[in-house]
């Protein structure tokens, strides 16, 4: 087992979320895992200020944005986490700067971790073709139509591409998702 107190020492991980609609636990649990592993998480969004998280369909907490996608450079980040929530990735995939930011991680071979509905943004970035992924089950057909192989697994780590891609289905998969994401970021 890797010493999780130093695993991500000196690494900065981007968390990309829309101004509203992110599933709070899918933001906060991976954030905590990155922090506990010694990494520095940063919240990126399409607008400055605060984002509104949700617990399913109910408003939850708000979180301060560190940088907008217009300001952010992938060169300053060692990895990317895409939390889910239904509205969050739907908003992100409609924002060209957000999509370009996501695609840049693939272009530079940096690890990406996406959970639940977040692969919608990956589809828009044309980043799932010939990859094996999992997601919330309702994205299965979208992912297959985008050229991915979809599997119903707690967590899937795909190395058949320019980077490591970690995907999970839902909040109950977060422990496995966090462990694999931290491992991918540590090995990058």
């Amino acid at each position: 087992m890797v010493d999780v107190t130093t695993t991500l020492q000196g690494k900065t991980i981007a968390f990309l979320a829309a101004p509203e609609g992110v599933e709070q636990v899918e933001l906060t649990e991976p954030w905590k895992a990155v922090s506990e592993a010694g990494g520095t998480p940063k919240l990126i969004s399409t607008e400055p200020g605060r984002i509104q998280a949700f617990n399913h369909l109910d408003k939850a907490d708000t979180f301060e944005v560190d940088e907008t996608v217009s300001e952010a450079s992938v060169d300053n980040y060692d990895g990317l986490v895409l939390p889910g929530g239904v509205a969050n990735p739907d908003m992100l995939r409609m924002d060209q700067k957000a999509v370009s930011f996501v695609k840049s991680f693939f272009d530079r071979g940096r690890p990406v971790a996406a959970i639940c509905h977040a692969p919608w943004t990956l589809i828009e970035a044309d980043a799932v073709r010939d990859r094996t992924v999992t997601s919330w089950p309702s994205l299965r057909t979208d992912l297959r139509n985008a050229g991915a192989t979809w599997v119903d697994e707690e967590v899937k780590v795909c190395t058949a591409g320019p980077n490591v891609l970690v995907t999970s289905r839902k909040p109950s998969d977060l422990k496995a998702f966090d462990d694999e994401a931290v491992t991918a970021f540590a090995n990058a």
Side-chain angles (χ1 to χ4, degrees):
M1 187 77 181
V2 178
D3 179 3
V4 296
T5 60
T6 59
T7 306
L8 298 181
Q9 202 67 41
K11 297 201 178 208
T12 305
I13 308 303
F15 282 71
L16 179 60
E20 64 180 346
V22 69
E23 186 69 29
Q24 182 161 314
V25 71
E26 293 174 2
L27 172 66
T28 58
E29 287 303 306
W31 186 284
K32 180 179 168 188
V34 165
S35 294
E36 287 179 352
T40 303
K42 296 280 185 174
L43 183 58
I44 314 299
S45 190
T46 56
E47 296 176 14
R50 299 184 73 79
I51 66 163
Q52 174 66 62
F54 281 74
N55 291 324
H56 192 51
L57 298 176
D58 298 322
K59 284 186 177 180
D61 298 324
T62 63
F63 298 89
E64 187 69 32
V65 172
D66 292 305
E67 212 174 6
T68 66
V69 289
S70 298
E71 303 163 331
S73 170
V74 71
D75 295 329
N76 296 329
Y77 297 98
D78 299 289
L80 172 65
V81 174
L82 294 170
V86 178
N88 174 54
D90 195 46
M91 293 174 93
L92 290 176
R93 69 182 176 160
M94 297 302 294
D95 185 291
Q96 190 52 50
K97 289 179 182 171
V99 172
S100 294
F101 183 71
V102 170
K103 183 156 180 29
S104 293
F105 281 86
F106 289 84
D107 293 344
R108 288 177 175 79
R110 300 210 173 131
V112 173
I115 188 167
C116 202
H117 289 79
W120 266 338
T121 309
L122 299 179
I123 290 168
E124 198 64 34
D126 193 25
V128 297
R129 189 174 316 283
D130 300 323
R131 304 299 296 262
T132 302
V133 299
T134 193
S135 69
W136 185 256
S138 66
L139 276 66
R140 176 182 55 237
T141 301
D142 295 339
L143 285 160
R144 286 180 178 157
N145 287 343
T149 299
W150 187 87
V151 294
D152 185 11
E153 296 177 13
E154 180 180 50
V155 64
K156 182 63 186 173
V157 178
C158 180
T159 57
N163 66 339
V164 175
L165 176 58
V166 178
T167 52
S168 279
R169 302 170 299 189
K170 56 191 173 187
S172 62
D173 297 336
L174 275 165
K175 174 68 173 115
F177 176 74
D178 293 347
D179 289 348
E180 292 294 350
V182 166
T183 298
F185 299 147
N187 293 328

